[in-house]
C-alpha cells in the first residue's frame, strides 16, 4: 500500500466513456487506483494497466440510496487494504452498498 493513491468519482448512467477517460487521466497524474461508480449500473476501476467493470449486487427492494457510494468505497477499500484482487474488492463494495440500500437507516451496524 505504500505510495498508493485512490480517487473516487461518481458518474451517471450512460457516462462510461467519460468515466473511462477520467480514470485514465487521473492515473496519468499519479493515482494508482482510479474508481468510478454508476449507481445502479455498477462500477469501474482502472489500475494503470487494466480496466475492471463490476455490476451491482441485486437486492429485493431498494429502500434508501443515501450512503450507497460511500458504502461501496468502504467495502472496496477494506479489501484493498487487505491486498485482495481488484475484482474481489469491487465485489466487497457491491455487497456493502447493497446492504445499505436495503434499509432505511443508512448506518447499518452489522454486515
Amino acid at each position: 500500500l505504500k505510495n498508493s493513491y485512490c480517487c473516487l468519482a461518481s458518474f451517471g448512467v450512460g457516462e462510461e466513456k467519460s468515466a473511462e477517460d477520467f480514470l485514465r487521466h487521473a492515473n496519468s497524474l499519479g493515482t494508482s487506483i482510479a474508481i468510478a461508480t454508476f449507481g445502479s449500473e455498477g462500477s469501474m476501476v482502472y489500475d494503470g494497466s487494466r480496466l475492471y467493470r463490476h455490476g451491482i449486487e441485486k437486492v429485493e427492494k431498494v429502500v434508501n440510496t443515501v450512503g450507497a457510494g460511500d458504502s461501496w468505497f468502504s467495502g472496496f477499500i477494506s479489501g484493498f487494504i487487505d491486498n485482495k484482487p481488484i475484482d474481489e474488492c469491487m465485489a466487497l463494495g457491491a455487497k456493502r452498498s447493497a446492504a445499505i440500500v436495503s434499509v432505511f437507516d443508512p448506518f447499518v451496524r452489522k454486515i
Side-chain angles (χ1 to χ4, degrees):
L1 291 176
K2 187 176 182 183
N3 297 323
S4 291
Y5 300 98
C6 290
C7 79
L8 173 65
S10 179
F11 288 84
V13 172
E15 295 184 315
E16 287 81 6
K17 178 63 176 134
S18 295
E20 183 178 339
D21 292 345
F22 173 82
L23 298 181
R24 291 180 187 281
H25 180 67
N27 179 262
S28 75
L29 297 174
T31 300
S32 51
I33 300 292
I35 302 164
T37 59
F38 302 97
S40 64
E41 295 296 312
S43 57
M44 180 187 292
V45 173
Y46 183 63
D47 68 0
S49 61
R50 180 175 167 200
L51 189 68
Y52 299 80
R53 288 296 317 240
H54 196 280
I56 63 168
E57 185 163 315
K58 301 285 185 184
V59 297
E60 197 169 306
K61 182 178 180 186
V62 174
V63 177
N64 185 353
T65 60
V66 172
D70 294 332
S71 298
W72 186 96
F73 188 64
S74 72
F76 178 91
I77 206 70
S78 69
F80 187 73
I81 288 169
D82 289 339
N83 292 311
K84 294 184 187 234
I86 297 290
D87 53 352
E88 192 173 332
C89 295
M90 295 174 83
L92 289 168
K95 182 178 181 180
R96 179 73 49 97
S97 186
I100 292 301
V101 301
S102 301
V103 296
F104 179 73
D105 181 1
F107 305 102
V108 174
R109 308 303 189 259
K110 195 173 196 179
I111 297 177

